[in-house]
Amino acid sequence: MADQTEQHNEETAPEQHKERGLIEDFLGDILNLDRGLPGTIWLMLKSPHEVVNSFFAVPKKYVNPFRYTIILTTITTFISVQFIDYEEMMKSAMDAGGDSADVIAGLQEQIPTFDWQLYFDNLLFISTVLIEKYAAINYIVLFAPMLALSTFLLFRKHMPKYKQHFVMNLYGISTLSLFGIIWALLVPLLEQSSVFEGLLYTIIPTTLYCCWVIFSSLGFKTIKGFLGALAGFFLGYMFYSIILTIVMYFGAFVMTMAG
């Protein structure tokens, strides 16, 4: 009987140890002040090149870029949706190009066989979902790859492999999602501000930060280098905007035809 008990303990002990190790490893990555989430965020703000370079030299020194993206976007999305109505925001953006009701009516007259109202409803749905619910997938599949393509084309001599550029930009735009918390807190102020003031609060700080990540990671030291980083970011954002537009409009078309 004692031998059976001892044998049972030997069989179950490794499994218990493995489960405990996985939990400890996960929490260690997140909570460790030096190499976990707090430490990774701090260095991405202070010295992005340390995080980017360490991923290839010492892979487990800081939080993995994919895990980093998922954790940060989950946290920032949860907080920002408490303050921002993304559906209303996207609808206002669409209406800014003209009265959507008039546009739909005009298109319906020209092509009456197509349900244009449903099409624009689907377009609004896809736009909101990509920004609000699937930010991490958007970053990993669309945003980071396009920024990486841009910086890879422009600065291949400084960083020869595409995957290095992908990791650099994924870390950068994921950290950028933290700015979403600040924007959420500034919503009352932004609603009363002019377009120019809105740019100062949002686009300019985020653009400068993304350029700082590229500038630091590629080892640039001069104003010329920063201007190059700025050009790389704008080129990548242009690539991203084109691909995102195609995805949204084509997706809305498919949903409309299927509906």
Side-chain angles (χ1 to χ4, degrees):
M1 184 68 180
D3 292 338
Q4 293 178 349
T5 302
E6 183 178 352
Q7 182 179 1
H8 175 72
N9 291 336
E10 290 176 355
E11 292 175 352
T12 58
E15 183 177 354
Q16 293 173 352
H17 176 73
K18 183 178 180 180
E19 291 177 354
R20 185 168 58 250
L22 288 173
I23 294 174
E24 290 174 354
D25 178 65
F26 181 76
L27 293 179
D29 269 352
I30 296 176
L31 301 178
N32 188 286
L33 294 179
D34 294 324
R35 66 178 182 83
L37 190 62
T40 305
I41 291 174
W42 170 244
L43 274 181
M44 280 305 302
L45 296 173
K46 179 185 176 184
S47 306
H49 67 278
E50 292 189 31
V51 178
V52 175
N53 293 338
S54 293
F55 175 75
F56 297 99
V58 189
K60 294 186 178 181
K61 187 173 182 179
Y62 299 106
V63 180
N64 178 281
F66 294 99
R67 184 181 298 180
Y68 183 75
T69 300
I70 294 171
I71 294 173
L72 279 192
T73 53
T74 299
I75 294 173
T76 55
T77 298
F78 175 79
I79 295 175
S80 62
V81 295
Q82 309 304 317
F83 299 90
I84 301 176
D85 186 341
Y86 282 100
E87 184 174 351
E88 183 62 30
M89 182 182 71
M90 296 304 301
K91 185 177 180 181
S92 298
M94 292 173 65
D95 289 341
D99 190 338
S100 58
D102 292 340
V103 173
I104 292 173
L107 290 171
Q108 201 66 58
E109 289 182 4
Q110 297 179 24
I111 310 178
T113 57
F114 189 76
D115 191 341
W116 288 100
Q117 181 62 59
L118 179 60
Y119 175 77
F120 279 95
D121 288 343
N122 289 332
L123 183 61
L124 177 62
F125 171 76
I126 293 175
S127 303
T128 304
V129 164
L130 284 176
I131 293 177
E132 180 182 352
K133 296 182 179 180
Y134 296 109
I137 295 177
N138 181 24
Y139 290 176
I140 294 172
V141 177
L142 293 178
F143 203 174
M146 292 299 100
L147 289 179
L149 176 61
S150 172
T151 56
F152 175 72
L153 293 175
L154 293 178
F155 310 117
R156 190 172 181 177
K157 292 182 179 179
H158 299 271
M159 193 179 278
K161 297 182 180 179
Y162 175 82
K163 65 180 180 180
Q164 294 173 301
H165 292 265
F166 176 75
V167 168
M168 171 184 69
N169 286 289
L170 185 58
Y171 269 124
I173 62 176
S174 299
T175 306
L176 189 64
S177 66
L178 291 172
F179 287 66
I181 299 177
I182 300 176
W183 296 336
L185 297 176
L186 290 176
V187 164
L189 179 62
L190 293 176
E191 290 177 345
Q192 301 175 6
S193 63
S194 65
V195 175
F196 177 74
E197 290 172 333
L199 291 175
L200 290 178
Y201 294 138
T202 57
I203 296 178
I204 293 179
T206 57
T207 299
L208 291 178
Y209 174 72
C210 286
C211 291
W212 162 238
V213 172
I214 298 171
F215 181 86
S216 172
S217 300
L218 295 179
F220 292 151
K221 302 294 183 182
T222 64
I223 295 296
K224 182 180 179 180
F226 188 82
L227 292 177
L230 185 63
F233 172 76
F234 275 119
L235 180 62
Y237 191 82
M238 183 180 69
F239 289 160
Y240 164 69
S241 298
I242 293 173
I243 297 298
L244 182 63
T245 300
I246 294 173
V247 169
M248 291 192 302
Y249 280 83
F250 181 71
F253 176 77
V254 172
M255 290 178 65
T256 302
M257 296 301 293

